[in-house]
Amino acid sequence: PDVIIEAQFDDNDAEHGQDHLQDMLTDDIKKLSLDTGEKGKAAGVTGVHRAKQDDGPKVSDPRLLPDEFLQRTAKVVYILEKKHSRAATGFIKLLADRNSELFKRCAMFSPMDHRVPRVYVPLADCPPDFVTKPEAYSQMLFICRIVDWKEDSNFASGQLCKSLGQAGEIEPESEGILTEYGVDFSDFSPEVLECLPQNLPWVISPGELAKRRDLR
């Protein structure tokens, strides 16, 4: 009861000759039980052996255990590349503590994507009448971009970039999704438009139809 050894096996272990791992685990438990029993006899204990949590043999050096019995752990030390666009769609509201100094400077941005943290945004980025009439913006979508997130804070810091419009409408919702994923939805430049046929109406020539597969 003093030592618990965990091992993970899948259905293919037996097919790859891994049966000896289970045998090794059984042998180790038997040895630990025998050692514990012998210590009890040497101390003159008769009857039921009472084991304390701190008594009995312990594996002091994990390097003595096979790799299959160890759980690998790691720690993030550096971010090589930031994949997320740091932009999110959501709503703004006043802070709950009206007596705090932070209430006078910041508002709370709540993103619709719950994987993104809530963000402190400056009141200067909010609409001028937001503090006096916050209910008027309760269903208004905004785009916020995260600029910093300190290790000792539950909330990130950011800036409001744009007001999209009322939640539930197609155009604001679509623009918010495209912005979050970094999709450029601006108008095509004149250079791109010049690549298109200029003589309109344009039709597909019979020669092209003869050598292409029509997927229309």
Side-chain angles (χ1 to χ4, degrees):
D2 295 332
V3 178
I4 300 175
I5 303 177
E6 295 182 356
Q8 296 180 353
F9 299 92
D10 55 37
D11 297 336
N12 297 325
D13 286 338
E15 298 177 4
H16 292 81
Q18 299 295 328
D19 290 340
H20 70 285
L21 296 177
Q22 295 183 5
D23 297 335
M24 291 170 58
L25 180 60
T26 304
D27 294 340
D28 290 341
I29 294 176
K30 287 181 178 179
K31 291 179 181 178
L32 295 175
S33 300
L34 291 175
D35 293 341
T36 304
E38 292 175 357
K39 281 193 174 183
K41 293 179 180 178
V45 178
T46 58
V48 179
H49 172 67
R50 298 180 179 179
K52 296 181 180 179
Q53 184 175 359
D54 296 335
D55 297 337
K58 296 290 193 301
V59 180
S60 59
D61 191 353
R63 292 175 296 181
L64 299 178
L65 293 174
D67 291 342
E68 291 81 1
F69 299 154
L70 299 179
Q71 175 65 49
R72 289 175 171 83
T73 60
K75 179 181 178 180
V76 176
V77 296
Y78 188 74
I79 299 175
L80 291 176
E81 183 180 359
K82 297 180 180 180
K83 287 290 188 180
H84 195 269
S85 64
R86 298 299 188 273
T89 306
F91 305 93
I92 56 174
K93 58 183 180 180
L94 295 175
L95 299 181
D97 189 1
R98 295 178 175 269
N99 297 323
S100 64
E101 289 294 327
L102 197 60
F103 179 86
K104 302 176 182 179
R105 297 184 289 105
C106 296
M108 179 64 70
F109 175 83
S110 298
M112 298 179 64
D113 188 350
H114 297 291
R115 297 172 298 177
V116 181
R118 286 180 290 176
V119 186
Y120 287 133
V121 294
L123 284 177
D125 295 346
C126 301
D129 57 344
F130 169 67
V131 176
T132 57
K133 296 190 300 182
E135 64 280 356
Y137 300 94
S138 60
Q139 296 300 317
M140 184 75 68
L141 284 176
F142 290 86
I143 289 287
C144 175
R145 191 171 297 276
I146 297 175
V147 296
D148 190 19
W149 191 4
K150 298 185 182 301
E151 295 181 359
D152 57 350
S153 176
N154 293 329
F155 308 110
S157 300
Q159 294 179 342
L160 285 184
C161 299
K162 186 178 181 182
S163 173
L164 298 178
Q166 290 293 325
E169 297 182 359
I170 294 180
E171 289 188 3
E173 298 276 358
S174 300
E175 184 176 348
I177 294 174
L178 294 173
T179 303
E180 287 182 11
Y181 287 92
V183 179
D184 184 6
F185 55 93
S186 59
D187 294 337
F188 288 110
S189 63
E191 292 78 13
V192 174
L193 296 178
E194 289 176 359
C195 298
L196 299 176
Q198 303 299 320
N199 298 325
L200 301 177
W202 179 79
V203 294
I204 304 175
S205 63
E208 290 293 332
L209 282 175
K211 62 182 182 180
R212 295 178 180 269
R213 183 178 178 183
D214 194 348
L215 298 177
R216 291 174 296 177

